[in-house]
Amino acid sequence: MRGPQDYPLAMIELPDSYKTYLDGQSERVVLAIRPVLMQSAADKLHGVRISYNPGPTGHQAHLDESLPYGTIVEDID
């Protein structure tokens, strides 16, 4: 599997702030947000906004151009 710019995903190193955020999260949360963290780490352009929606959708993440790379902000929708 390849990431942005054709780098193998195994070569993409998450910044410490992303690793710290993932520590202690449930597997469900990690599976939901890790792809966006990987995309952010590959591009190194923007931070990530994570929102929690009560119900079946749960946690969702997206790149946020207003956040500097390596930053995670949590919101409740």
Side-chain angles (χ1 to χ4, degrees), residues 28-71:
R28 181 176 182 223
V29 172
V30 171
L31 291 174
I33 65 172
R34 192 168 188 275
V36 178
L37 297 179
M38 295 294 289
Q39 181 182 357
S40 173
D43 294 342
K44 295 184 174 147
L45 297 174
H46 309 294
V48 176
R49 184 169 303 273
I50 298 171
S51 59
Y52 177 73
N53 302 300
T57 57
H59 287 82
Q60 296 177 337
H62 64 274
L63 296 179
D64 187 326
E65 294 177 6
S66 70
L67 299 174
Y69 169 66
T71 302

